[in-house]
Amino acid sequence: MINPMQQVVIAVRKRDSEEVIAALQDAGVLHLRPITGGPLSTGSLSGQDAQSRREDERLLARAESTIAELGGYRPAPAPLRPQDEWERVVEDAAVPVSAIARQRQELQADLDAEAAYGDAVRALARLAGGLDRSRRLALVPFVLQPTDNLGELEAALRAALPDRYALTAETVGNNRVGLIATLRSERDLARSALGRVRLGELRLPGRFDGIPLADAAAELDRVRQGGSERQRALTAERDALARTHTPALYAVRDALKDRVAVHDVRAVSARGKYSMAMQGYVPAERVSALTAALGKFGDAVAYELHPVDEHHDLAVPVQLKNNGYVRPFQVVMGLMSLPRYGTFDPTWVIAVFFPLFFGIIIADVGYGLLFLAFGMWLLGKARRNEGWDLSFFGAYVPPASLKDLGFVTNVMAAWSILWGVLTGELFGTLGEHLHLFFVDPNLVNNLWGWTGIRAEAHAAEGAGAVAHSGLIPTLFPRLETEYFSNVALVFSLLFGILQVLWGWGIRIQQGIKHKDATHTWEGIALFGGVLALVMMAFATRAGKDFGAFGNFGDWRVLVMYAGFIAFIVGYLRVIKHFPMLPIELLSQGGAVMSYARIFAVGLVSAILAKLCSDVGWAMFTKIGFLGIIIGLVLGALLHFFVLALTLIGHIVQPLRLHMVEFLNPTGFNSETSPAYNPLRRLSPTASAVSGQGK
């Protein structure tokens, strides 16, 4: 659900504003909203306030850049030094850290140069034979790719410098390096000859550019021999500085952030010569914390609380508040925008149907157990307060998020295992080969015969006996495509009928709640139209019996006509706003059909898993004991490949059905509100902001 908010306006004497803002930071409940216009000053600070802000931001930037150069994680909290020592704390760390960072950067550039050019430069130095120190001769080094023709360069040089050059080359790795020796006054002619055959002069990077080749080779040799050791020494120095300075730096950094936050609050407030006014929002359940924070100032602070205008105020922040089961699924909601305040929070719907749809698609006990193991691994890391470093993707998942992800994964795994039992799948048909699961035609006919299907027994080869035996009968045999595909397809479409109609029902409810006649009638029209199309499909048996239109004794036909009437009436009421509503109705019929993805994607997954297990089992039956080993390895590899190849689709498809087919009718994707982001203190005590000029 969306946590209810209260709007608050606070007026305070300017001389007391800093203490009041510090108290609001301690309370940590007020979401500020900028005040614009009016007789008081708003927007950017000026004068002494602006100067103070610049100084704090400069020192904060210095502290943050130093922390970044130290490259460590946040240490245990450290006591905050007095404010007059903050700059010294930052500079005591920043000066040596900057020096080491500069040395590390220069050394890394040297190491990169050695790795890229070391062998080539050493070969060129040998080819030069001391001519690189000549005052009369100039050397032009170059690199030849395997496809380059040295003869073309020779011809170009003869044309430009007949008998006034020397050319030599040597193979280095996959390429060749070469030197052109000519008179210093004719160096540009040699370079032009290189250009005519699409070659360029080799220029060394950084400090190696322009020095003799022998000196460059000697420097690169020193880098190769001692660079790695020097890099380790610099890293050790940096780590020692981190252990010494990082705790105090973080304490000062947090205090500076709190001071900058004070300036930010003033910038979004209305300021007069002697007073200041703030406005914002506070959760209704946290009003007591706000009043307690402001109450200690007595008459020095005046404030007023009143209900928010959820119909017209687009700035009301949203905080989602859900129970223990639903709350972890807010991590899934993080992939979407927040709902608009005063509307519908779909988190609980996603918490119910997203793992259910995933389970129907996977529907495999073996795969479900793998997901369960992965979910328990995530929860184990969260319990140990460990994050998950996904540096390959440039991301880091903190322990709190891992806890939510682990819970969501385990729910998805539970549904996968449950549906795997219903479909009789354990790594595809491995459970069937092991006689753990089996299809009982009589049971299937008793359960699903009312749909018109007929399951037949399969005779064993050369025996005439029924080849159905095992421990657990299959109740939802989706792999029996000869007779069960239509049942599984319609079963998936029922979810589409439910969610699409539900979405338009929410549209109607929200329209009535917000007194929005246009959206109310739009919802009525499309709810009735979609319901009519669904009833028409059932009454005519998917278009096979159009004579059913006149059968008024069939309740489905009556509901169909009532739905079309609702659509026509609603369309006439909103035709000016939505003239293409009939086209939208057809689109919504397609939205219902989109839920066939649950059946189609799941069936493809099951067929691929069946293929993997059948291949592995065939190896066992044909080769014997050795086939067991080969079959297990081959089957495991195939299952891993198939699961890795299709997993993203199994997750994305249920998400898409919720984000598009279900939430579009509700209006969720067209309106949003800012996230609730209250003013909070980072430093441990209010002393972090005391002493600033009033």
Side-chain angles (χ1 to χ4, degrees):
M1 62 174 288
I2 298 174
N3 209 8
M5 293 283 171
Q6 289 276 302
Q7 189 168 11
V8 59
V9 178
I10 304 170
V12 59
R13 291 180 300 198
K14 198 169 184 180
R15 67 183 185 183
D16 298 323
S17 62
E18 186 175 331
E19 294 181 16
V20 172
I21 295 172
L24 293 173
Q25 287 178 317
D26 292 333
V29 297
L30 178 63
H31 176 103
L32 285 165
R33 176 183 178 180
I35 297 177
T36 57
L40 300 179
S41 298
T42 58
S44 300
L45 301 177
S46 60
Q48 182 59 38
D49 289 340
Q51 178 63 27
S52 178
R53 177 173 188 162
R54 283 193 294 270
E55 292 175 357
D56 289 339
E57 288 180 336
R58 178 195 62 79
L59 191 57
L60 174 60
R62 182 74 160 157
E64 289 191 320
S65 64
T66 303
I67 289 173
E69 288 172 345
L70 286 172
Y73 290 106
R74 188 182 184 98
L80 179 63
R81 303 281 185 86
Q83 183 179 330
D84 57 3
E85 297 182 17
W86 290 358
E87 184 157 7
R88 182 173 60 80
V89 169
V90 174
E91 291 302 322
D92 284 350
V95 171
V97 169
S98 297
I100 289 178
R102 184 169 56 254
Q103 294 177 54
R104 283 170 52 84
Q105 184 177 10
E106 293 172 353
L107 179 58
Q108 187 60 51
D110 287 352
L111 289 169
D112 293 341
E114 200 286 324
Y117 299 99
D119 292 339
V121 170
R122 282 184 282 274
L124 289 169
R126 289 194 300 272
L127 293 175
L131 291 178
D132 51 333
R133 300 184 184 278
S134 172
R135 295 183 178 181
R136 298 185 58 202
L137 299 178
L139 300 181
V140 181
F142 60 90
V143 176
L144 287 167
Q145 303 295 327
T147 56
D148 293 330
N149 189 344
L150 189 62
E152 294 179 357
L153 176 60
E154 183 97 36
L157 287 170
R158 280 198 302 269
L161 298 165
D163 301 326
R164 298 195 304 278
Y165 73 92
L167 175 65
T168 184
E170 180 178 316
T171 300
V172 177
N174 295 326
N175 300 316
R176 286 174 293 169
V177 295
L179 273 179
I180 302 171
T182 186
L183 295 175
R184 188 172 293 273
S185 60
E186 295 182 330
R187 175 189 294 170
D188 290 339
L189 294 175
R191 289 171 174 168
S192 298
L194 280 173
R196 283 196 293 274
V197 295
R198 297 178 299 280
L199 295 175
E201 182 181 4
L202 176 64
R203 301 296 298 268
L204 298 179
R207 66 188 182 92
F208 302 103
D209 186 28
I211 66 175
L213 290 171
D215 294 345
E219 284 294 315
L220 290 173
D221 281 339
R222 281 194 289 271
V223 170
R224 182 178 62 173
Q225 294 168 7
S228 298
E229 183 61 33
R230 176 60 178 160
Q231 191 176 49
R232 284 192 291 270
L234 289 174
T235 301
E237 288 183 46
R238 185 197 64 179
D239 293 344
L241 287 172
R243 289 190 294 271
T244 302
H245 295 286
T246 300
L249 270 176
Y250 267 102
V252 171
R253 192 283 303 267
D254 291 346
L256 285 167
K257 280 195 169 185
D258 288 337
R259 283 175 59 90
V260 171
V262 172
H263 299 304
D264 292 339
V265 172
R266 287 174 171 158
V268 300
S269 303
R271 306 178 302 278
K273 186 174 181 180
Y274 302 108
S275 62
M276 189 175 77
M278 297 171 276
Q279 68 174 353
Y281 305 91
V282 61
E285 63 186 18
R286 304 296 304 278
V287 168
S288 59
L290 178 70
T291 57
L294 298 178
K296 62 183 180 181
F297 294 99
D299 295 337
V301 175
Y303 62 93
E304 179 181 299
L305 288 157
H306 54 85
V308 298
D309 182 3
E310 64 181 36
H311 303 298
H312 305 100
D313 189 351
L314 300 180
V316 183
V318 166
Q319 180 188 41
L320 301 181
K321 181 184 178 183
N322 293 292
N323 61 34
Y325 171 77
V326 176
R327 188 197 55 76
F329 285 87
Q330 290 176 190
V331 71
V332 181
M333 281 294 298
L335 302 173
M336 313 177 197
S337 59
L338 286 170
R340 179 183 167 185
Y341 184 84
T343 59
F344 170 68
D345 174 19
T347 309
W348 72 269
V349 179
I350 291 174
V352 172
F353 287 97
F354 167 69
L356 172 61
F357 290 173
F358 178 84
I360 295 173
I361 290 173
I362 294 293
D364 190 291
V365 175
Y367 289 167
L369 291 174
L370 292 179
F371 286 117
L372 182 62
F374 178 63
M376 297 304 294
W377 179 77
L378 292 176
L379 290 177
K381 289 183 74 70
R383 280 193 297 269
R384 295 189 299 270
N385 200 34
E386 297 176 3
W388 191 10
D389 185 10
L390 297 173
S391 54
F392 181 78
F393 298 102
Y396 174 79
V397 185
S401 297
L402 283 185
K403 182 179 179 182
D404 292 341
L405 284 173
F407 179 85
V408 172
T409 302
N410 284 347
V411 176
M412 295 162 63
W415 278 112
S416 301
I417 293 171
L418 175 60
W419 275 96
V421 173
L422 295 177
T423 59
E425 295 174 31
L426 171 68
F427 293 115
T429 52
L430 179 61
E432 184 178 334
H433 289 304
L434 297 174
H435 294 286
L436 177 64
F437 296 109
F438 73 104
V439 177
D440 184 347
N442 293 327
L443 178 61
V444 172
N445 290 331
N446 289 334
L447 286 174
W448 302 101
W450 58 275
T451 64
I453 69 165
R454 180 68 182 172
E456 300 291 343
H458 300 290
E461 282 188 31
V466 176
H468 295 282
S469 62
L471 182 63
I472 303 173
T474 299
L475 305 181
F476 195 85
R478 64 174 178 176
L479 278 172
E480 300 293 324
T481 55
E482 293 180 3
Y483 58 83
F484 202 74
S485 289
N486 287 340
V487 175
L489 174 60
V490 174
F491 176 76
S492 298
L493 293 178
L494 290 177
F495 290 109
I497 296 170
L498 169 65
Q499 289 206 335
V500 173
L501 289 176
W502 189 2
W504 286 112
I506 292 171
R507 187 70 155 184
I508 297 170
Q509 180 264 334
Q510 291 294 317
I512 295 172
K513 176 181 177 181
H514 293 284
K515 298 180 175 58
D516 187 340
T518 300
H519 285 150
T520 300
W521 284 107
E522 178 199 14
I524 291 173
L526 288 174
F527 182 93
V530 172
L531 181 61
L533 291 177
V534 170
M535 290 298 104
M536 182 173 68
F538 280 110
T540 63
R541 292 183 297 143
K544 295 180 180 178
D545 181 17
F546 287 106
F549 285 150
N551 183 11
F552 293 99
D554 188 341
W555 65 271
R556 296 171 297 182
V557 175
L558 297 178
V559 173
M560 177 189 72
Y561 284 119
F564 280 131
I565 291 171
F567 174 76
I568 293 171
V569 172
Y571 178 50
L572 293 176
R573 295 296 298 267
V574 300
I575 191 170
K576 292 182 179 179
H577 303 281
F578 303 107
M580 304 301 292
L581 208 61
I583 304 300
E584 178 63 23
L585 174 60
L586 297 179
S587 174
Q588 290 303 303
V592 173
M593 296 301 298
S594 289
Y595 283 76
R597 301 166 190 266
I598 300 174
F599 159 73
V601 175
L603 183 60
V604 170
S605 172
I607 290 174
L608 290 174
K610 175 181 184 298
L611 176 63
C612 295
S613 290
D614 287 351
V615 169
W617 191 263
M619 299 298 295
F620 159 64
T621 56
K622 292 184 179 298
I623 303 179
F625 179 77
L626 181 60
I628 295 177
I629 300 174
I630 298 176
L632 284 174
V633 173
L634 182 61
L637 289 175
L638 289 174
H639 276 293
F640 176 79
F641 176 75
V642 167
L643 189 60
L645 192 66
T646 60
L647 179 59
I648 293 178
H650 297 343
I651 296 174
V652 169
Q653 292 300 339
L655 277 177
R656 183 194 182 280
L657 292 175
H658 285 88
M659 295 173 67
V660 180
E661 274 72 18
F662 173 62
L663 289 179
N664 268 350
T666 69
F668 177 92
N669 293 320
S670 61
E671 297 178 315
T672 186
S673 288
Y676 172 64
N677 184 25
L679 180 67
R680 289 192 179 99
R681 176 174 300 287
L682 294 177
S683 54
T685 65
S687 63
V689 292
S690 64
Q692 185 177 344
K694 298 183 172 74

